[in-house]
Amino acid sequence: MPTTTDRTNDFALKIATVNGTGSASANGLLMQAIFRMGIPVSGKNVFPSNIQGLPTWYEIRVNHRGHVARTPRFDLVVAMNNATYERDIRELQPGGYVLYDSSWPLPTSLVRDDVTLLGMPLAQMCVDAFRDGRERLLMKNIAYLGALTALLDVDISVVDTLLEEQYGAKKALLESNHRALRMGREYALKHFDCPLPLRLEAMPRSDDWILIDGNTAAAMGCLFAGATVGAWYPITPSTSLMDAFRGLCARYRRDPVTGKNRYLVLQAEDELAAAGMVLGASWAGARAFTPTSGPGISLMSEFIGLGYYAEIPGVFFDVQRTGPSTGMPTRTQQGDLLLTAYASHGDTKHIVLYPADPGECFTMAVQAFDLAERFQTPVFVLSDLDIGMNDWVCRCFHWDDAYRPDRGKVLGPEQIEKMQAFYRYLDADGDGIAARTYPGVHPKGAYFTRGSGHTKLGTYTEDAAEYQEVMERLARKIASAAEAVPAPIVERRPGASFGVVSIGSCDGAVREALDLLAERGIVADYLRVRGFPFHPSVEEFLLAHDVVYVVEMNRDAQLRSLLALETDMPKTRMRSIRSWGGVPLSADVVVEGILESLVEVHA
């Protein structure tokens, strides 16, 4: 039997099942139990875009040092889908373990001498223990969870508590889950050496950490920012953001006395209509937003251009997925960097925020509304499927009750009354931002909201000079936002010989890669971009290095292109490291990319 060195709180496992069989509940319970034991953990759900029948995987990484990026190396596979046995067993590291359903024999061609097979007749056990066909299918997942509690030394009392929290009001279901859990656990304790060298050990747990996904965090940010209008057309992977917002509003934006809602959530007929609803509500003074993904941004482009030119605020959450076209809707990517920076036809440029985790989804949601109203323009929050739909361990969100929304230059009735005349697109302060009014506040504050050629006084024009004057002001306005967007995170390391630049959810993998490289004596400075237009310190970092590696998740090196377009850094001094197959970035990709490049340079 192969032997494995002790890997306490430092291993990865993959659970391979069939979509639609109810495995998500069991996998989530395992993830939450590890988290409640105080152990740093991350979970990645790799699932198909159809409703039922295709393979799905849930990947859990446990790492006591806090590295949470995806790893392609697995120490344990729970193989519940015979259609993927070959692939799942092949991806195991030498010395790893396979827990599989031995109700049917495992083909001898799949047996590896360097891994340990743990056969458990799960299907037959559930047939014997439960009568209902659906119940047998669902409880098979809880039975393998029970086996994992023994194999990995999971605190069974924590799992019991989670089951009580989830099914406490449904006594029959709770009893079935407890029975299946104990059945699987007792079988593993009787037939296997438990625990495995891949085991869990509780760590000091701080109450300052939570387990949350990015879409829920963004929805909370919208609530705290004062958003009252949400319009959207359902699209993976952003729909759960609006679902979460609607649930939060039902709890916190309903008048306790009258029972009336103080919010409006609208499902539009398409993405273009949703964008129009957001702009209409924002124009009227509400804080409004829409969640979507790349295909939705493409369809919204006409209204995005209107928002830019007519200077109407609005917040657009783009939870990126793999494109182009329909692409792979349930896989992650960073393919919309250029799209959101310059969305719509003609000369446009937009404010974009790039969260790296759910914590920043929360804070940047609030910042996005403030920036949209301060600069009177559409603002994008560019998340991705990995951040949006996967569970992340984050610091608790902290809120300053002294916060007041930045509504920007909005004239009230007293200010308007004192004016001789109000001109909507006149920049009176020289900062590129014209004052606006809310409709119905004062007759003198009325104006035409023009998406066609207009002068600084708001009148129609097709005169070149008058058109250019307004467009140049808009360019100055957006350029000035570089100082207002979140500044990049910059880490200088003594002895660094080059720089690394990244964005969004790449952060965890890049940080881990830099630690691994440092162990080899290869030291690099690091910058994570958090906003566009780029903060001045982005260009300063680039120009301070002879070579910068740009790490991103798309085929065409969009971040590198954006940096080349918007800074004076020569493109020849920026080298691309890209991962774009639809799975979250791993540290291996970054390490191998940098090492290969260094070898080429010194060859």
Side-chain angles (χ1 to χ4, degrees):
M1 179 180 293
T3 58
T4 303
T5 56
D6 182 76
R7 298 288 300 280
T8 300
N9 291 350
D10 187 18
F11 60 89
L13 67 126
K14 179 170 70 169
I15 303 171
T17 57
V18 177
N19 199 37
T21 57
S23 59
S25 178
N27 300 340
L29 286 168
L30 177 60
M31 174 81 173
Q32 292 177 67
I34 298 171
F35 168 70
R36 291 197 181 186
M37 290 176 69
I39 305 166
V41 62
S42 64
K44 308 294 184 187
N45 192 15
V46 183
F47 61 103
S49 55
N50 76 332
I51 296 174
Q52 186 169 338
L54 288 182
T56 184
W57 294 270
Y58 192 68
E59 302 172 356
I60 295 178
R61 183 181 182 189
V62 177
N63 184 268
H64 59 87
R65 289 165 292 186
H67 293 308
V68 296
R70 179 183 183 268
T71 175
R73 299 183 302 278
F74 299 99
D75 306 287
L76 168 65
V77 167
V78 181
M80 295 292 118
N81 183 359
N82 57 13
T84 62
Y85 273 176
E86 182 178 1
R87 170 181 173 176
D88 297 330
I89 295 174
R90 184 177 66 246
E91 291 184 354
L92 263 177
Q93 290 203 97
Y97 298 84
V98 180
L99 176 64
Y100 72 100
D101 189 348
S102 61
S103 302
W104 302 274
L106 185 72
T108 56
S109 61
L110 300 180
V111 176
R112 284 175 50 182
D113 294 335
D114 59 348
V115 302
T116 301
L117 300 177
L118 305 172
M120 182 175 176
L122 287 159
Q124 187 59 53
M125 292 165 63
C126 289
V127 167
D128 296 339
F130 302 99
R131 292 186 177 183
D132 179 74
R134 180 63 178 169
E135 188 178 34
R136 289 169 173 171
L137 180 65
L138 295 175
M139 291 305 109
K140 178 179 172 180
N141 302 311
I142 302 301
Y144 75 63
L145 171 62
L148 290 174
T149 65
L151 292 167
L152 302 178
D153 207 10
V154 180
D155 187 338
I156 189 67
S157 66
V158 173
V159 182
D160 286 337
T161 299
L162 289 167
L163 287 174
E164 292 285 347
E165 292 174 0
Q166 191 164 340
Y167 302 115
K170 303 175 181 178
K171 296 301 182 184
L173 190 55
L174 179 63
E175 191 277 330
S176 295
N177 275 270
H178 275 306
R179 183 150 45 105
L181 184 74
R182 289 302 188 280
M183 182 175 67
R185 179 178 175 82
E186 290 167 6
Y187 185 96
L189 289 170
K190 181 178 179 181
H191 294 88
F192 308 136
D193 291 331
C194 298
L196 300 176
L198 315 171
R199 61 180 298 272
L200 300 167
E201 186 175 285
M203 296 174 61
R205 182 173 176 268
S206 169
D207 291 333
D208 197 36
W209 294 88
I210 57 173
L211 193 65
I212 193 170
D213 64 86
N215 284 351
T216 300
M220 291 178 65
C222 293
L223 184 84
F224 275 73
T228 56
V229 177
W232 97 115
Y233 185 79
I235 182 173
T236 301
S238 69
T239 298
S240 61
L241 197 162
M242 188 60 81
D243 289 341
F245 179 74
R246 181 170 49 201
L248 289 166
C249 285
R251 183 173 181 180
Y252 297 108
R253 290 220 193 289
R254 184 169 288 163
D255 190 301
V257 178
T258 65
K260 291 184 178 180
N261 293 334
R262 293 173 171 171
Y263 68 96
L264 179 64
V265 173
L266 291 167
Q267 180 175 331
E269 62 267 32
D270 55 35
E271 285 89 350
L272 180 61
M277 293 173 180
V278 167
L279 294 184
S282 297
W283 174 85
R287 285 197 150 183
F289 72 97
T290 183
T292 188
S293 192
I297 297 294
S298 297
L299 294 171
M300 294 176 180
S301 289
E302 184 177 359
F303 268 131
I304 291 170
L306 173 65
Y308 173 83
Y309 193 32
E311 301 182 71
I312 306 171
V315 175
F316 296 75
F317 291 89
D318 181 354
V319 188
Q320 298 168 97
R321 69 189 206 186
T322 304
S325 187
T326 304
M328 296 191 293
T330 58
R331 298 291 187 267
T332 196
Q333 205 173 70
Q334 294 174 328
D336 300 343
L337 302 182
L338 290 171
L339 171 65
T340 49
Y342 306 114
S344 196
H345 55 280
D347 291 319
T348 55
K349 187 182 291 187
H350 305 292
I351 298 171
V352 191
L353 309 184
Y354 308 106
D357 55 43
E360 288 192 335
C361 286
F362 174 74
T363 57
M364 288 187 181
V366 179
Q367 291 171 314
F369 284 101
D370 283 347
L371 289 168
E373 293 202 289
R374 175 178 169 184
F375 291 94
Q376 301 174 24
T377 193
V379 171
F380 295 88
V381 181
L382 201 56
S383 176
D384 61 35
L385 183 146
D386 182 27
I387 299 173
M389 294 191 70
N390 286 324
D391 290 324
W392 293 60
V393 176
C394 297
R395 292 277 186 187
C396 284
F397 303 160
H398 296 284
W399 183 253
D400 182 2
D401 287 332
Y403 166 80
R404 294 295 180 269
D406 183 351
R407 307 308 301 263
K409 294 182 181 180
V410 180
L411 300 177
E414 293 182 359
Q415 294 169 291
I416 300 171
E417 178 63 36
K418 295 176 182 178
M419 301 176 70
Q420 184 174 354
F422 168 69
Y423 300 108
R424 171 64 182 92
Y425 301 111
L426 181 64
D427 175 16
D429 300 328
D431 60 0
I433 304 171
R436 64 178 178 136
T437 61
Y438 294 144
V441 170
H442 195 286
K444 287 170 65 176
Y447 63 93
F448 283 105
T449 305
R450 293 193 182 274
S452 55
H454 53 268
T455 69
K456 65 183 180 181
L457 301 180
T459 58
Y460 179 80
T461 188
E462 293 187 19
D463 178 80
E466 291 175 332
Y467 163 78
Q468 288 177 321
E469 183 180 19
V470 172
M471 288 295 289
E472 286 171 356
R473 176 180 63 79
L474 293 178
R476 292 197 309 273
K477 178 179 77 170
I478 300 300
S480 69
E483 296 279 3
V485 300
I489 302 297
V490 180
E491 296 180 8
R492 304 277 186 178
R493 304 188 179 197
S497 56
F498 56 88
V500 175
V501 173
S502 190
I503 195 168
S505 62
C506 294
D507 184 56
V510 172
R511 289 180 177 279
E512 182 178 356
L514 294 181
D515 288 347
L516 293 171
L517 288 168
E519 292 174 3
R520 302 185 183 207
I522 302 171
V523 183
D525 291 330
Y526 177 46
L527 178 144
R528 174 166 62 87
V529 175
R530 298 203 301 160
F532 181 83
F534 297 130
H535 190 274
S537 58
V538 173
E539 185 172 58
E540 293 171 8
F541 180 92
L542 294 174
L543 295 175
H545 295 85
D546 293 331
V547 175
V548 171
Y549 292 92
V550 183
V551 182
E552 54 190 308
M553 291 194 297
N554 55 71
R555 184 195 68 182
D556 294 338
Q558 293 185 29
L559 177 58
R560 180 172 177 251
S561 296
L562 203 55
L563 290 167
L565 285 168
E566 299 289 339
T567 73
D568 288 332
M569 179 69 168
K571 195 172 183 179
T572 54
R573 286 165 53 186
M574 294 187 287
R575 297 173 186 165
S576 287
I577 296 177
R578 297 160 294 133
S579 176
W580 45 277
V583 295
L585 182 69
S586 69
D588 292 15
V589 173
V590 183
V591 171
E592 291 167 8
I594 290 176
L595 290 178
E596 288 176 7
S597 177
L598 292 175
V599 169
E600 292 174 3
V601 169
H602 293 98

